[in-house]
Amino acid sequence: MSRLKKIMVTFLVIVLFVVIVTFVKIQDIKNTYEKSVTNYLLHEQGYEKNEIKSVEGIWRFKLPAFYTVVVFEDEPFVQYIYYAHNGVKQIEYSLTYEGIEKGIDETKLKHYVPFDNIDKYKRVE
């Protein structure tokens, strides 16, 4: 094998290794977020496991890069978005197209916790 081929093979192995490590790390963080949000819902908010349809960790290029989408059994047309960094907070919600067609709006949401109750300027001592 020529020197150039050895260099190319080494380079490809390194790139493949970096891609695999990055993928595994992203999956690990998504799983951690899912577990944190699930524990928060079950143990701090008092939901039963059968009330929660799904909890899915999400990664994207925009900030926040990691968040979790929760769908409750009694509101399958609403996706509640939770952020699980330094505690768990519900940051927003999203309606599916079916939810919009059914006329669901913020006043009809059963699990919405407005994010405006956070005091950004509270001094921590």
Side-chain angles (χ1 to χ4, degrees), residues 4-125:
L4 181 59
K5 283 185 179 180
K6 287 180 183 179
I7 292 172
M8 291 298 291
V9 168
T10 302
F11 177 75
L12 289 174
V13 167
I14 291 170
V15 168
L16 183 62
F17 177 77
V18 169
V19 168
I20 290 171
V21 167
T22 302
F23 177 78
V24 168
K25 183 63 178 172
I26 288 170
Q27 290 303 115
D28 181 55
I29 294 171
K30 286 170 45 176
N31 289 338
T32 300
Y33 268 52
E34 288 175 11
K35 289 176 186 174
S36 294
V37 170
T38 300
N39 285 334
Y40 170 78
L41 293 172
L42 296 176
H43 303 294
E44 293 183 38
Q45 295 298 309
Y47 287 102
E48 297 293 326
K49 196 170 187 169
N50 64 352
E51 294 178 284
I52 301 168
K53 184 174 184 174
S54 66
V55 178
E56 180 184 6
I58 304 292
W59 174 76
R60 65 180 180 174
F61 286 107
K62 294 180 182 181
L63 291 177
F66 293 95
Y67 60 94
T68 305
V69 175
V70 176
V71 177
F72 292 93
E73 287 289 345
D74 62 349
E75 286 187 307
F77 306 116
V78 183
Q79 297 175 334
Y80 291 96
I81 315 301
Y82 287 82
Y83 187 62
H85 183 73
N86 292 330
V88 176
K89 301 278 187 250
Q90 186 185 96
I91 58 173
E92 63 182 304
Y93 67 90
S94 176
L95 297 173
T96 64
Y97 290 114
E98 291 173 276
I100 294 168
E101 288 175 357
K102 290 181 178 279
I104 297 172
D105 64 14
E106 191 172 293
T107 63
K108 297 176 184 171
L109 299 178
K110 299 174 184 176
H111 306 283
Y112 180 54
V113 180
F115 192 63
D116 62 345
N117 60 353
I118 294 178
D119 184 359
K120 294 184 204 177
Y121 305 104
K122 184 176 180 182
R123 179 180 278 182
V124 179
E125 297 180 33

